[in-house]
Amino acid sequence: MDTSNRTYVKDAFHMKASSSSKDDEKKGEVELYGWVHDTRDLSKIRFIVLRDISGRIQVCGVKGETEEDIFELMKTIPRESVVRIKGHLKESKQAPGGKEVSPIEIEVIAKAEHPLPIDVSDHSKTELPKRLDYRFLDLHRERAQAIFKVQDTILQAYREFMNKEGAFEAIFPSIIGASSEGGTEVYPVKYFEKTALLSQSCQLYKQMLACSMEKVFAVFTVWRAEKHNTTRHLNESRQYDFEMAFADDKIVMDVLARCVQHIVKKVIEKNSKELEMYEIKLKVPGVKYLTFHEVASIMKKEKIHVGKDDLSPESERKLGELYPDTIVFVYDWPLSGKPFYIMPSDKKGPNGEQLSNGFDAIYMGMEISSGGQRIHIPELLIERFKAKKMKVENFKDYIDSFRYGAPMHAGWGMGVERITMLLLGLPNIREAVLFPRDRDRLTP
Ligand code: AMO
């Protein structure tokens, strides 16, 4: 297939349309490739709406003017078929965008089977689970594509920000020997004679690397065998990870705040069309710092339950309501609610509980990130493993990595799908993943 003369739809709208003179007609000739988004047959006029990744344009055949075989073909092509359409670009007051194409050649490259298994119209009436069963076709929808255009902006903005911060992008192993977050939500995998685990996070590795390369970041896939099916959890998700040497929780909270602000700014700049499609008005968020105890007191007044060392989803929602367009950092978190690697603080909570240098970041009513200062002192780390009833011998290399010149360090991990769903106001996190993995879904 020679596509060298291809014109993208968005470029066609910027081209000069042909008038009646022959010369101009040649100028206004376009060759478009894409999908049949819609068809309409008004007997004497037939329309095809052609869609490519850049937009949609109307193709209009007129009985008596359009060549007869092309006019006949126009009514036979099923929706979502792939076509090549060559034609003249015409000004048209009635056509969306003010231009349409009069076809002179139509080639059906790949005919779509009919009927389609799901509704692929803009506001699909098919429920999410069924759409996900046919995700490859669901991704023909501009509304679905919009999510991943925004996700692309988020990813580029994250990388851009980290580059400017002087951080190095790193690639870490996805098969690990021991649980990197503690807890039992792990997937064992047969690894020759041993049992390995799918990575819960790149936590231990990003720490080890920060202890030599100082500032590092990663885009990392994590697997969590959480049994519950919620609208905000996945069993396979992605994180933006950051780790920095010579830093404590305060320093990396500031990095996270600026990172999220940069991401939101870029989405506002680059994705106005997608934000409009989802009727979202985004503002670059401000920042608020609250201790865990302050949040607990606010929630007590609001009669919302807060655990002794964790926030409930209702309390996160409430923080979103109380502090709109704000990244709320909840710090001085009770040590018992944080993983083994979080540095204990010298502060105590109101009930004498030991606090930590760990934090969560809540944005738009949901946790987008957690992080903190890490333990870089081997003896203290061993103590924490024991307190959490974890096997010290499973973490020998990790502990040893802090024996030969390891600076204090801190970092965070931010959920890629969480930030995507929140910026677009999606009701279910699965919408923000191309091919979601949850308890009931392993395919497509
Ligand atoms: P944590 O487990 O809190 O921290 O994860 C960090 C962020 O990742 C997102 N996230 C998830 N998103 C969807 N489905 C899940 N099952 C899921 N689990 C987590 C959330 C969460 O805030 N290693 C630490 C981070 C650090 O301290 O650097 C960690 O993984 O947005």
Side-chain angles (χ1 to χ4, degrees), residues 130-146:
K130 182 102 189 269
R131 284 204 280 114
L132 293 178
D133 289 344
Y134 291 92
R135 187 55 148 170
F136 39 84
L137 181 56
D138 188 50
L139 289 167
H140 283 215
R141 295 167 57 241
E142 284 174 343
R143 243 181 114 74
Q145 291 172 4

Side-chain angles (χ1 to χ4, degrees), residues 114-130:
H114 186 78
L116 297 169
I118 56 168
D119 174 10
V120 290
S121 62
D122 292 341
H123 293 278
S124 177
K125 289 182 194 69
T126 311
E127 297 285 328
L128 183 61
K130 182 102 189 269

Side-chain angles (χ1 to χ4, degrees), residues 20 53 95 125 197 201 244 283 351 354:
S20 51
I53 193 62
K125 289 182 194 69
L197 307 171
S201 68
M244 179 176 172
K283 274 195 201 149
N351 303 316
Q354 167 92 60

Side-chain angles (χ1 to χ4, degrees), residues 335 341-345 355-358 373-377 380:
L335 183 65
Y341 49 76
I342 290 288
M343 183 63 105
S345 113
L355 300 182
S356 76
N357 287 354
Q373 186 186 341
R374 325 301 190 180
I375 299 174
H376 61 289
I377 302 158
L380 183 52

Side-chain angles (χ1 to χ4, degrees), residues 211-391:
C211 287
S212 57
M213 292 184 72
E214 298 208 18
K215 267 192 204 177
V216 298
F217 75 102
V219 181
F220 193 74
T221 305
V222 306
W223 291 272
R224 309 266 170 107
E226 287 153 0
K227 290 198 175 76
H228 48 281
N229 254 337
T230 76
T231 53
R232 54 193 231 150
H233 287 96
L234 295 159
N235 292 112
E236 179 183 79
S237 64
R238 274 125 300 246
Q239 290 184 1
Y240 294 142
D241 276 280
F242 174 67
E243 201 67 25
M244 179 176 172
F246 306 103
D248 62 7
D249 49 338
K250 308 287 180 303
I251 290 176
V252 297
M253 281 192 271
D254 174 64
V255 176
L256 177 58
R258 288 185 291 109
C259 181
V260 174
Q261 286 168 334
H262 180 75
I263 287 172
V264 177
K265 186 167 161 274
K266 286 288 161 186
V267 170
I268 294 170
E269 274 170 28
K270 286 192 174 172
N271 296 104
S272 55
K273 195 174 147 202
E274 289 74 27
L275 292 174
E276 204 176 299
M277 198 182 273
Y278 279 86
E279 295 174 24
I280 295 291
K281 286 205 165 48
L282 273 185
K283 274 195 201 149
V284 175
V287 186
K288 175 88 187 165
Y289 291 91
L290 292 170
T291 64
F292 187 90
H293 176 58
E294 282 169 333
V295 173
S297 306
I298 294 171
M299 295 306 152
K300 199 170 172 191
K301 278 193 209 125
E302 299 282 347
K303 298 193 173 36
I304 290 173
H305 169 77
V306 173
K308 77 173 178 17
D309 59 11
D310 205 4
L311 296 183
S312 59
E314 301 76 58
S315 58
E316 291 178 4
R317 262 195 296 279
K318 193 72 201 177
L319 285 176
E321 264 172 56
L322 296 172
Y323 302 100
D325 298 310
T326 305
I327 306 158
V328 182
F329 285 100
V330 185
Y331 66 105
D332 276 354
W333 200 281
L335 183 65
S336 58
K338 284 289 169 192
F340 59 85
Y341 49 76
I342 290 288
M343 183 63 105
S345 113
D346 43 20
K347 293 183 212 158
K348 292 255 189 301
N351 303 316
E353 69 277 23
Q354 167 92 60
L355 300 182
S356 76
N357 287 354
F359 64 84
D360 274 10
I362 317 293
Y363 179 39
M364 297 191 185
M366 206 180 282
E367 177 199 321
I368 51 161
S369 174
S370 67
Q373 186 186 341
R374 325 301 190 180
I375 299 174
H376 61 289
I377 302 158
E379 290 64 39
L380 183 52
L381 199 48
I382 292 171
E383 220 177 87
R384 294 299 302 143
F385 278 124
K386 286 184 179 160
K388 295 253 177 204
K389 302 206 178 348
M390 293 170 73
K391 284 193 181 137

